[in-house]
Amino acid sequence: MAHDDAAQFRLTVVDQALRLFAERGYEATTVDEIAVAAGISRRTFFRQFRSKEDVIFADHEFQLATAQEFLEGAEGDPWDAVCAAVVGVFERFTQWRDIAARRYQVVRRVPALREREIVTVFRYERLFTEFLRERLPEVPDLVRVQFTAAVTATHNYLLRRMVRGESAATVADLRAELAAIPRGRRAAAESDELVVAVFPRDMPPREVADLLSARLGSL
């Protein structure tokens, strides 16, 4: 089975499982009922998933693998690459909005699933932090961790508002918010850093101030 076909197959099972969980409750729904609803055998189910819990977060596994593949081939600014990976995750979740919304309703009712969701969020942060460690070894680790925590939290905030029906957050909204998060610089040099700026002689003072503010805010 091709990669895309396998992913679509798993999403179909996820979709049916979440529908049953929402209708009957997580504990009351059996693997056999999920298999029947998805049109597969119990054996096929267990070839793809280890448990009911794995079904709920199967799209996250695909998202993590896709984000990792993207970062491995990323070129250019590593901070921007992490933001692009986060945007890719958000874009796919907007395409699977119904699945994300149903999972939210199921997970919020089951404490064990909420704990699993917290662990899953940390896996995104760890993926992004490890990427920055590899690409930017000179940057203090705390700076990297703060950045990846901020971009992940921003993504999750907008996604949750969307699935709760509180906002029609778009990819453009996410990009704008991520752009406002300062990129890290070497903390040890910040206090003694000298900034030299060169502008055209006839540039209006207001425009000079705006450009300086934008650039200094990203240091």
Side-chain angles (χ1 to χ4, degrees):
M1 186 181 294
H3 177 70
D4 289 344
D5 291 341
Q8 187 57 53
F9 167 76
R10 288 167 67 85
L11 283 175
T12 299
V13 179
V14 171
D15 185 48
Q16 292 299 324
L18 288 171
R19 180 180 60 80
L20 290 173
F21 294 154
E23 292 174 357
R24 306 180 186 183
Y26 174 73
E27 296 295 344
T29 302
T30 67
V31 167
D32 287 336
E33 288 170 334
I34 297 171
V36 169
I40 61 175
S41 67
R42 179 185 176 88
R43 181 177 179 181
T44 298
F45 176 93
F46 282 113
R47 278 206 301 264
Q48 296 292 326
F49 311 97
R50 291 174 297 179
S51 65
K52 290 193 301 182
E53 185 175 303
D54 279 353
V55 175
I56 292 179
F57 298 100
D59 55 331
H60 276 297
E61 297 300 325
F62 174 77
Q63 290 274 34
L64 282 160
T66 303
Q68 181 174 3
E69 183 178 353
F70 171 82
L71 290 174
E72 287 172 353
E75 299 179 355
D77 185 84
W79 308 103
D80 289 343
V82 169
C83 289
V86 172
V87 168
V89 172
F90 189 84
E91 283 181 315
R92 287 183 290 275
F93 274 135
T94 58
Q95 294 168 7
W96 312 332
R97 185 174 307 206
D98 291 344
I99 289 177
R102 278 202 290 272
R103 177 176 48 236
Y104 173 77
Q105 294 300 324
V106 172
V107 169
R108 65 195 288 263
R109 299 189 191 113
V110 183
L113 297 179
R114 290 200 298 272
E115 292 175 7
R116 169 73 177 267
E117 187 173 49
I118 291 171
V119 172
T120 300
V121 170
F122 176 71
R123 290 176 65 195
Y124 284 101
E125 291 185 25
R126 184 171 60 189
L127 171 65
F128 301 145
T129 301
E130 289 297 333
F131 169 76
L132 291 177
R133 282 183 182 136
E134 178 185 337
R135 298 295 180 92
L136 297 169
E138 74 283 1
V139 173
D141 205 45
L142 179 59
V143 174
R144 292 188 290 250
V145 170
Q146 288 173 331
F147 178 78
T148 58
V151 298
T152 305
T154 300
H155 168 277
N156 292 344
Y157 175 79
L158 291 178
L159 180 64
R160 286 196 184 99
R161 292 201 67 197
M162 181 184 71
V163 300
R164 289 196 298 247
E166 298 172 359
S167 167
T170 65
V171 169
D173 295 325
L174 177 60
R175 284 199 177 100
E177 296 298 336
L178 293 178
I181 299 173
R183 272 57 172 163
R185 292 294 186 267
R186 299 190 64 174
E190 286 181 351
S191 59
D192 298 321
E193 191 173 45
L194 174 67
V195 178
V196 177
V198 179
F199 299 96
R201 184 188 299 273
D202 58 351
M203 179 174 284
R206 179 69 260 175
E207 190 172 344
V208 171
D210 289 342
L211 286 171
L212 279 172
S213 177
R215 294 302 299 164
L216 290 173
S218 68
L219 292 178

